[in-house]
Each structure stands twice: as structure tokens, then as C-alpha cells.
Amino acid sequence: MRWATILLIAGLCGASLGQYNEEEDMAWLQYYMRQSRMSSYNYMPYYEEENTPYVYSYLPAPDTEAEPGPEPQQAPSWQCPQECDCPPNFSSAMYCDTRNLRYLPFVPSRMKYVYFQNNLITTIQEGAFDNATELEWLALHNNQIASEKMGKKVFAKLKRLERLYMNNNNLTKMPSPLPRSLRELHLSYNQISKVPSNVLEGLENLTALYLSHNFIFEMGASLKGLKSLILADLSYNHLRKVPDGLPMSLEQLYLEYNYINTIPDDYFQVSPKLLYVRMSHNSLTNQGLSTNTFNSSSILELDLSYNRLQKIPRVNTNLENLYLQGNQINEFSISSFCTVVDVMNYSRLQVLRLDGNEIKRNAVPPDAPLCLRRATVIEI
């Protein structure tokens, strides 16, 4: 009875899809039989972790050497590797995630979205993606890929690639060359120590760069030519100085958990769209800052908590959230927020945190309520 049902369905599909040949019908039937023995899936045509925070977990290294991957072979356009799933209702996506794979399967030429995350892959052989030049999303995160086991030009032919996910691997170098079409580059949780100034050259479409949780001690001017960059996450690294030359397009800059102790004059002025700056857990002192370092009219949120500041730095009246907890500040200087205090001149600050410093509650000046009239949270 089961075979009769399957053959009936196959016959109906053959009648309604008469433009396909017999080989394609047989491939569909094989796919249906394979899926009938497996639990159902409900994959969607987008990167499944895109709108949720990453949960990073390091996979244990295999006890034996990785098995060599199969040589790329030409295959019919409808073919799907046996190790993966290619949903018939979304024919341009291939799901090979969380299957203990130690190699990259063949990628059919029709694919645009390929998911290899959560496997044991260590090597990306040269030419691995030469057949799939239409790729737009490539997910390789949560594997064990090492820089020395990557082909030198594995991404060279991917002229349409927009998102590359290689976070949580064993990379020690920035992958290069990278497609100029890239919009997002995810390289967090690796072992990268240096970002050469030319490694991101030509990526004028890049909007988001994730390099947190590496060992980067030098950035140089690698961000300067990224004309579309909106977000740069360089937190949890070994930087001792800020990157040279921020892009004008930048809106979010995350530099927390580094070793930065100084910031050049007018550093943030070159980025008129900058909204969020996070530099907590660094080594900033007042001696390493100029008078107007943070006096930028665009910045709305500034996090300088857990540094070595002894005075409140001067900020712009447009700032809305200022975090200074865990420093060594011993005075409440109202001039840091308002150069003139009257009915027409006041700060837009809403949240001010000064807890964990050396300021006493009775040190708040009497004109503070007039200057900080919009503040809803002040913690001392």
C-alpha cells in the first residue's frame, strides 16, 4: 500500500511537471523516500541565527586526523549531496549543518545559501566553491578550520557573496582575498592576532565587521577604506591603541575589553554618524584624553566604565546615556555636562552611572538638577 501511494504521488507529479525529464522525476522520488524515513524539518530561507545572539561553544578536536574530502565533481543541477538536505520548496539552499562532517561536500551550481555550521571541518580545499559562483550566504561557523588548511583563493570566484560566517574556528590569519561584494564578515572567536592594512581593501560594500574575541594587537588603518561600514566589533582583543582612521559611515564602535590607554584629538569627529561607542574595561586615563575627545554631537551612548578615569570627561549635550561606573572619579563636575547652565542650556542625558567611584553623595553641585533635568537615572 505504501509503494502504491508513493508511485501514485510520483505519477501525479510527473503529470503536472511534464517539462522535467525522467531523471529529475526519479531524483524527486528518491528524495521523497529519503525524507519519509527522517524526521520532518522546517528550514527557512535565511540564516537561522541572524536575529538572535550567538551561543558560542567550542567543539572538541577529533582524536584522529580529519578525513580527506571528496574531489569536486560535475553533477546535474538538481543533485543534492547525500550528506545534506536541499528542500524542494527552496532549491537554492543546502543544509549540511550539525552532521559531524569532516569535509566539505560538493556544492551544486544552483546554490545561493549554504550552511556548514556546527561540524568538524578542518580544511577548505582549493576550488571548493568554484562550481557555486552564485553563492550569497556561506555559513562555516563552529567548525575547526585552520588558516594553514585553507586554499589561498577559495573565495576568489564568489563574486556575489554577501555574508560570510567563519566565527568560532581556529583561524590565525584574516582570510584573503575576500569578495568585494561582502556586506557582513563574521570572524569572532578565532585566534587572529593582526589585521593588515590592506586585507580589507576594496570591500566598499561591507556594513558589518565582527572581530571580537581574538588576539588582535594591531589594526592599523584597515577600517579607513570601508566606505559603507556601519558596525565594527573589535571587543575582547589585545589592542593598545584605537584603529587609525574611522570611516565616515560608522554608527557603532565596540572596543571594550582591550588595553587602550589613549585616544587622539578629534578622533570621533571624522564619523559624523557615530551613535554608540563602547570602551569599557580598558586602561583609559584623563592624561590620555584631550578636552573634547568625547564632545561629539552625534554620540548618544558612551560606555567608559571600568577604566582609570579620575575626572568626568567633557561630553556633548546631545549625549543620552553615559556609563562611568568602576573608575577612580572623585568629583562631580557639572561643567562636564553643561558649559552654561540656564533655562535654555541643559544636557539631554537620561542615564548617568557613577557608582563604584570615589564620589560622595553630598558632592553633587546644587545646579545639577537644572543641567541634568532630563535624567531619569543617576547612580552614585
Side-chain angles (χ1 to χ4, degrees):
M1 183 66 182
R2 179 182 180 85
W3 275 103
T5 302
I6 293 174
L7 292 174
L8 177 60
I9 294 174
L12 291 174
C13 290
S16 60
L17 302 176
Q19 66 271 30
Y20 294 130
N21 57 38
E22 293 180 359
E23 289 182 341
E24 291 174 319
D25 287 340
M26 183 58 66
W28 182 92
L29 178 60
Q30 291 174 351
Y31 175 82
Y32 178 86
M33 292 174 61
R34 187 171 74 245
Q35 288 300 100
S36 66
R37 296 193 295 268
M38 298 173 59
S39 58
S40 61
Y41 60 83
N42 186 28
Y43 288 120
M44 298 295 289
Y46 56 79
Y47 176 49
E48 58 190 5
E49 295 178 2
E50 179 61 15
N51 294 320
T52 57
Y54 291 123
V55 179
Y56 297 98
S57 58
Y58 286 95
L59 295 173
D63 295 331
T64 58
E65 186 176 351
E67 300 175 2
E71 291 295 326
Q73 299 177 356
Q74 295 298 324
S77 61
W78 49 262
Q79 183 172 338
C80 183
Q82 186 176 3
E83 305 92 336
C84 309
D85 284 316
C86 306
N89 61 336
F90 189 50
S91 60
S92 60
M94 186 170 82
Y95 296 90
C96 312
D97 54 300
T98 320
R99 295 158 199 249
N100 291 322
L101 296 179
R102 296 173 182 270
Y103 59 88
L104 286 173
F106 169 79
V107 183
S109 59
R110 72 178 187 275
M111 294 303 168
K112 294 183 179 180
Y113 311 94
V114 179
Y115 304 91
F116 292 114
Q117 71 268 26
N118 304 324
N119 281 297
L120 301 171
I121 299 168
T122 61
T123 303
I124 304 180
Q125 64 272 23
E126 194 72 70
F129 306 115
D130 284 2
N131 183 64
T133 56
E134 301 296 310
L135 277 180
E136 295 180 12
W137 294 30
L138 178 56
L140 291 162
H141 56 286
N142 292 340
N143 277 286
Q144 299 173 10
I145 301 169
S147 295
E148 61 272 16
K149 293 187 178 182
M150 284 181 59
K152 294 182 179 180
K153 297 182 179 180
V154 291
F155 306 122
K157 294 186 178 181
L158 303 182
K159 305 298 184 181
R160 298 187 179 184
L161 190 66
E162 294 185 358
R163 303 189 184 191
L164 176 59
Y165 299 86
M166 295 196 70
N167 39 297
N168 206 345
N169 275 284
N170 296 328
L171 300 177
T172 55
K173 298 179 181 179
M174 294 283 293
S176 178
L178 292 167
R180 292 174 177 260
S181 54
L182 269 187
R183 294 183 179 274
E184 291 188 15
L185 179 58
H186 297 254
L187 294 171
S188 299
Y189 286 89
N190 277 285
Q191 302 168 27
I192 300 169
S193 60
K194 185 177 180 181
V195 181
S197 294
N198 62 345
V199 75
L200 301 174
E201 187 175 350
L203 302 185
E204 296 186 358
N205 295 311
L206 194 68
T207 60
L209 175 63
Y210 297 90
L211 281 168
S212 69
H213 293 87
N214 276 282
F215 301 103
I216 300 171
F217 65 90
E218 183 178 347
M219 285 290 297
S222 54
L223 302 182
K224 192 172 183 179
L226 304 179
K227 297 181 179 180
S228 301
L229 193 66
I230 293 175
L231 183 153
D233 186 355
L234 306 172
S235 59
Y236 291 88
N237 276 290
H238 294 174
L239 293 173
R240 296 189 176 275
K241 57 178 294 188
V242 290
D244 297 332
L246 296 180
M248 292 183 63
S249 58
L250 195 65
E251 296 180 8
Q252 303 176 50
L253 178 62
Y254 304 138
L255 288 166
E256 61 263 39
Y257 287 92
N258 277 285
Y259 301 95
I260 300 168
N261 55 25
T262 183
I263 301 176
D265 294 347
D266 301 324
Y267 180 70
F268 299 108
Q269 304 300 325
V270 297
S271 301
K273 298 180 180 180
L274 193 59
L275 299 173
Y276 307 100
V277 177
R278 297 178 183 173
M279 299 192 67
S280 66
H281 297 272
N282 275 279
S283 303
L284 292 174
T285 65
N286 290 96
Q287 290 71 32
L289 305 175
S290 68
T291 305
N292 290 308
T293 297
F294 299 110
N295 190 11
S296 171
S297 60
S298 66
I299 299 177
L300 298 180
E301 180 177 293
L302 178 60
D303 188 351
L304 300 174
S305 58
Y306 301 98
N307 277 280
R308 301 176 185 175
L309 300 174
Q310 294 181 322
K311 296 181 179 180
I312 301 174
R314 185 178 178 183
V315 295
N316 194 272
T317 55
N318 289 330
L319 188 68
E320 295 181 358
N321 299 282
L322 178 59
Y323 303 98
L324 289 166
Q325 68 269 26
N327 277 279
Q328 303 168 14
I329 300 170
N330 53 28
E331 64 175 299
F332 194 116
S333 52
I334 201 65
S335 60
S336 297
F337 309 100
C338 301
T339 54
V340 177
V341 182
D342 57 31
V343 176
M344 300 300 296
N345 296 282
Y346 56 90
S347 171
R348 276 71 174 173
L349 203 65
Q350 298 177 17
V351 176
L352 173 60
R353 288 198 56 181
L354 286 164
D355 46 309
N357 282 281
E358 300 174 12
I359 301 176
K360 297 181 180 179
R361 289 182 177 273
N362 58 8
V364 179
D367 52 353
L370 187 59
C371 171
L372 303 175
R373 67 185 70 174
R374 288 197 174 182
T376 57
V377 176
I378 298 179
E379 295 189 16
I380 298 178

